[in-house]
Amino acid sequence: MNPSLTRLTELLPPPEVAAPKDWAAVEEQLGTELPWDYKELVNTYGGGLFDANVWLLEPGCQRPRYDLIAMDGRCRESLKLLWDRGELRPAELDQEEARLIPWAYEDEGGGVLYFLSTPGQKPENWPILINEGRGPGWEQHDGPCTSFLLRLMTGETESEYFPDMPLDEHVFETNEELFTNG
């Protein structure tokens, strides 16, 4: 287990999670490898909501809005439409074959957290790009995603898209709990 995930599990014990995902099949569907720490995070917590703010996408979720594969397609279409209409693309995407892959989103405002995949860069080194969701703003943070999430939850990093973080008490609600209770 990576040190950030170990620290996260100490801060917020994970729930009982079903069997690990078939990551080879997921990566084949996406057409790209995913960062190992994201896969480890999903295998540990499953999809769900961290601190009532960060909704972790998981492959295979029955609800498309919370499914990694479905959201990848939906985000690609939405961003293409916005960029075709003249909204500015992040300069980081000017590299040939650069790609955004959604891995989480901000629950209240709709901001999407993406991995920025670029040619020749290993997935564990991909930075995090956050799009405000209802506007053209972007924010970049160092990855990997588990380290970013931990820094956000502990106040070691700030984001204008998560002004309520860090919280005094940490909570994780699984998709199953949220869908059953919601």
Side-chain angles (χ1 to χ4, degrees), residues 77-89:
E77 289 173 17
S78 296
L79 290 173
K80 182 180 180 336
L81 182 63
L82 291 170
W83 295 333
D84 287 349
R85 291 183 177 169
E87 189 171 296
L88 294 178
R89 270 173 60 109

Side-chain angles (χ1 to χ4, degrees), residues 3 34 38-39 46-47 50 61 68 79 81 83 93 95 97 117 130 153 159 169 172 182:
L34 290 167
Y38 166 76
K39 296 184 281 192
F50 284 90
C61 183
L68 175 69
L79 290 173
L81 182 63
W83 295 333
L93 292 174
Q95 286 187 62
E97 296 183 43
S117 165
I130 305 173
M153 291 175 65
S159 168
E169 285 188 43
F172 178 77

Side-chain angles (χ1 to χ4, degrees), residues 12 46-56 105-108 171-175 178:
L12 182 61
L49 190 58
F50 284 90
D51 286 357
N53 280 278
V54 180
W55 206 304
L56 180 64
Y105 68 90
E106 191 273 319
D107 190 46
E108 292 293 316
V171 64
F172 178 77
E173 298 170 274
T174 66
N175 282 341
L178 291 160

Side-chain angles (χ1 to χ4, degrees), residues 119-148:
Q121 191 174 39
K122 294 182 180 187
E124 58 268 19
N125 296 327
W126 291 344
I128 307 300
L129 282 184
I130 305 173
N131 176 245
E132 71 180 285
R134 293 189 175 102
W138 291 83
E139 191 177 87
Q140 183 170 339
H141 294 272
D142 291 336
C145 68
T146 305
S147 297
F148 170 74

